[in-house]
Amino acid sequence: MTAIKVGIIGAGSAAFSLRLVSDLCKTKGLSGSLVSLMDIDKDRLNAVHMLAKKFAEEFGADLRFETTTNVEDPIKDSSFVVNTALVGGHSYFEQVRNISEKHGYYRGIDSQEFNMVSDYYTISNFNQLKFMHDVAKAIERISPKAWLLQAANPVFELTNLITRTVPINMVGICHGHHGVDQIIEKLGLDTEKVEWQVAGVNHGIWLTKFMYEGKDAYPLIDELLEKEVKNFKPTNPFDDQISLVAKDMYEFYGKMPIGDTVRNGSWKYHYNLETKKKWFGEPWGGVDSELGWKWYQDRQAEIALAMQKVAKYFQENKNAKLLSKESFNEIISQTKNDVKEEFTKEIYNLLDPERKSGEQHILLANALLNNEKVDLVLNLPNNGTIPGIPDDVAVEIPVYADKDGIHRYKIDPALPERITKMYLYPRIMRMEWALEAFLTGDRKVLEEFLIRDPRTESYDQVVKVIDEILALPGNEEMRKHYSKK
Ligand code: NAD
């Protein structure tokens, strides 16, 4: 048993923190650990703290918690630091998007070929990149042996930035590969008998291997797509793993796109709302359309409110138990029905002792410290795993972890060359441009990004949109950074 300190930065991201706490409660080998919850928003922080304590109590888990608004506290003496903060919050993204759209950039300047996810900003996200880089440097200074588990986006750019410039232990972690579970579930297969691999870069991963009972099971996916896609009607904006767009990408690239990769196709699927609806289905046109993203934002706000209500209830009723679903539903009775259902399901899944949350952070910690070998999908430098990709580019690949560290599996069969040449290279190029801009502070690089954007019609348009984003309140440091000569 190894009692450690785990720091969570941006811990007010409630659903995420509770998942980690629930996994910790179920991991005997990390019993006695201290969880340091850090956020700049005290209300969110207190709500998460209240619920985290409640979870530990219900499990009878030996965990301690501390809360702090000082970013160095979750780093000091920690073995693992999970960073899930979002500097400027979602409202900053909306401001940038509104300015961009006024200047002719539908869904914002940061929506780029193979990077259409609406909160994955790389061009205008200086404050986020700077904060994450600073946290990595603080780890090097204060806790040089600690692992940084980078959960906040943009995971691809941040994993590259940090692994290349700060000599610490770090990996980028995303849960996007669970798209494979959706395929397995839709096919009604026994998970234990499925063997699969995904490979690519974060939010750009492809199902390279899919075997059932030792035989190639891709023909089952072909049949499923044929059947399901004819009258495709998504149940929610995220319902796209088996969709017209996934089928079209599969047919062009030769392998199934997995998880957020389906959201990250070329402009073919994203020109405008009408195009998005055609490919991602009515009524939303996928989660990254104006309608789908509003659906998501409204839902997140409802969930945050429900979380506050639950926390307040337990604050006022110290001896109350989370265990009864009826009393739980009573506490969040004002929450919209479908959100209430999903929220209750999530909480009760997290309370199920037989089930882990699906996040990989605690599994990785337990494998490294207690030698409980585990298969994971992580972001780390390629080092020859995907042929044709430079060693220092962070790829998202299947690995296993144990007391000796993280070990890469061979990708077999290999990724089709078309994916490498037509999807990964252009995506990697944009990551490199984003880092070139960030590391040099050269505004001309930001401009060049947009000069090469198919939505740009004049240089004047580029200058105006960048000027207006740099002039936003909160972007003072970014403005200064990009005025370097
Ligand atoms: P959110 O805004 O709901 O939560 C982020 C938290 O960060 C907030 O509580 C906020 O107060 C806090 N924060 C902001 N500035 C901070 C600072 N300087 N120091 C400490 N905390 C600070 O955002 P969210 O929707 O929960 O998303 C968080 C991040 O995680 C985003 O980048 C998102 O894209 C990413 N994400 C990653 C995955 C993954 O699998 N890797 C999945 C979902 C979301």
Side-chain angles (χ1 to χ4, degrees):
M1 220 161 61
T2 322
I4 50 163
K5 178 173 167 186
V6 179
I8 306 180
I9 299 177
S13 177
F16 185 75
S17 297
L18 290 184
R19 284 181 184 191
L20 298 196
V21 168
S22 134
D23 286 345
L24 265 172
C25 288
K26 297 169 198 170
T27 307
K28 292 277 171 285
L30 298 175
S31 189
S33 292
L34 166 67
V35 185
S36 178
L37 302 164
M38 184 268 156
D39 203 289
I40 50 168
D41 182 328
K42 281 193 180 157
D43 289 340
R44 277 175 163 236
L45 189 59
N46 291 338
V48 167
H49 183 211
M50 190 71 224
L51 291 168
K53 277 195 302 188
K54 207 77 215 162
F55 261 64
E57 241 173 71
E58 303 254 335
F59 274 104
D62 178 14
L63 287 181
R64 288 170 300 129
F65 298 95
E66 66 174 31
T67 58
T68 176
T69 52
N70 179 346
V71 74
E72 296 201 348
D73 291 337
I75 296 175
K76 191 167 180 300
D77 300 325
S78 277
S79 303
F80 293 90
V81 179
V82 180
N83 200 342
T84 184
L86 181 57
V87 179
H90 285 272
S91 63
Y92 173 69
F93 292 155
E94 292 318 308
Q95 285 177 300
V96 170
R97 205 169 350 253
N98 288 339
I99 293 172
S100 306
E101 294 203 329
K102 202 173 76 187
H103 290 283
Y105 295 94
Y106 174 57
R107 299 302 294 149
I109 58 168
D110 294 270
S111 289
Q112 290 281 326
E113 192 173 72
F114 311 133
N115 185 21
M116 298 287 175
V117 169
S118 301
D119 61 356
Y120 206 102
Y121 278 27
T122 60
I123 309 175
S124 65
N125 217 1
F126 174 80
N127 293 337
Q128 176 84 345
L129 298 185
K130 170 89 170 43
F131 178 77
M132 301 298 155
H133 200 212
D134 287 347
V135 165
K137 288 191 276 188
I139 293 176
E140 183 192 6
R141 190 164 35 85
I142 305 170
S143 284
K145 290 198 179 133
W147 277 86
L148 169 63
L149 311 183
Q150 183 63 44
N153 284 320
V155 164
F156 183 39
E157 277 71 12
L158 288 168
T159 309
N160 280 289
L161 175 66
I162 295 167
T163 53
R164 290 177 188 183
T165 61
V166 192
I168 55 169
N169 295 315
M170 87 83 72
V171 286
I173 304 195
C174 183
H175 48 216
H177 60 277
H178 285 303
V180 182
D181 300 335
Q182 291 171 27
I183 296 177
I184 294 172
E185 197 186 318
K186 278 230 159 132
L187 287 171
L189 304 180
D190 175 354
T191 314
E192 298 295 312
K193 297 179 182 162
V194 180
E195 201 191 322
W196 58 267
Q197 275 192 333
V198 290
V201 298
N202 181 235
H203 285 192
I205 52 171
W206 304 83
L207 187 62
T208 47
K209 182 197 277 187
F210 191 63
M211 315 266 285
Y212 191 59
E213 294 182 318
K215 283 205 279 271
D216 179 22
Y218 247 96
L220 300 178
I221 298 182
D222 297 340
E223 277 169 35
L224 182 72
L225 284 169
E226 231 19 84
K227 194 170 82 194
E228 296 267 328
V229 157
K230 263 190 208 112
N231 301 308
F232 179 62
K233 183 104 179 105
T235 53
N236 65 66
F238 284 97
D239 181 11
D240 61 11
Q241 186 58 73
I242 299 296
S243 64
L244 202 54
V245 61
K247 181 170 185 282
D248 198 63
M249 287 172 82
Y250 167 37
E251 284 168 0
F252 180 71
Y253 291 103
K255 292 285 175 192
M256 268 300 272
I258 295 298
D260 292 321
T261 316
V262 181
R263 295 162 68 182
N264 270 342
S266 65
W267 282 106
K268 178 178 182 184
Y269 316 111
H270 294 277
Y271 286 118
N272 48 39
L273 183 58
E274 200 188 332
T275 311
K276 284 178 184 267
K277 282 184 177 176
K278 177 182 156 205
W279 289 106
F280 288 87
E282 300 266 6
W284 304 282
V287 72
D288 298 301
S289 76
E290 46 274 56
L291 301 182
W293 198 244
K294 181 171 184 321
W295 178 96
Y296 175 63
Q297 298 287 79
D298 289 351
R299 210 172 171 85
Q300 289 303 95
E302 277 279 312
I303 289 174
L305 263 177
M307 197 70 86
Q308 300 275 352
K309 275 187 200 144
V310 176
K312 185 163 179 280
Y313 176 83
F314 287 113
Q315 186 80 47
E316 289 162 0
N317 301 277
K318 293 263 183 316
N319 296 323
K321 290 250 175 239
L322 260 175
L323 283 175
S324 131
K325 272 197 184 173
E326 291 68 32
S327 62
F328 189 77
N329 273 329
E330 191 56 34
I331 306 169
I332 55 165
S333 58
Q334 301 296 311
T335 308
K336 276 191 202 133
N337 265 344
D338 55 334
V339 180
K340 185 155 75 180
E341 218 172 276
E342 186 192 304
F343 186 70
T344 309
K345 194 168 150 215
E346 165 87 2
I347 295 283
Y348 282 85
N349 279 348
L350 295 182
L351 284 170
D352 180 345
E354 301 304 320
R355 226 184 232 262
K356 292 274 171 74
S357 73
E359 301 294 347
Q360 305 181 94
H361 312 69
I362 304 302
L363 293 173
L364 173 62
N366 191 40
L368 293 173
L369 295 173
N370 294 321
N371 202 25
E372 278 193 40
K373 184 187 164 206
V374 66
D375 285 346
L376 301 166
V377 177
L378 296 177
N379 292 268
L380 67 178
N382 185 39
N383 287 350
T385 313
I386 302 180
I389 303 246
D391 283 351
D392 70 344
V393 168
V395 287
E396 188 163 302
I397 45 169
V399 299
Y400 70 92
D402 61 17
K403 71 171 180 12
D404 298 321
I406 298 172
H407 316 271
R408 295 157 173 78
Y409 282 114
K410 182 175 178 351
I411 309 298
D412 183 22
L415 265 172
E417 276 194 19
R418 180 172 286 192
I419 292 181
T420 310
K421 288 180 180 161
M422 297 205 68
Y423 188 98
L424 297 181
Y425 285 172
R427 177 66 185 97
I428 291 168
M429 221 166 60
R430 285 182 174 78
M431 174 276 292
E432 297 289 2
W433 299 349
L435 298 201
E436 174 73 9
F438 178 78
L439 290 169
T440 62
D442 185 349
R443 177 196 158 114
K444 292 280 178 214
V445 181
L446 293 185
E447 291 182 358
E448 199 62 37
F449 223 121
L450 295 184
I451 290 165
R452 296 169 191 209
D453 185 310
R455 295 166 296 179
T456 298
E457 290 172 358
S458 72
Y459 179 56
D460 191 44
Q461 181 189 1
V462 169
V463 172
K464 282 191 174 139
V465 75
I466 292 179
D467 279 348
E468 205 168 331
I469 291 169
L470 289 178
L472 276 172
N475 274 351
E476 294 76 13
E477 210 182 336
M478 179 181 181
R479 205 152 59 229
K480 208 165 130 214
H481 185 67
Y482 286 110
S483 59
K484 281 184 198 155
K485 289 279 170 244

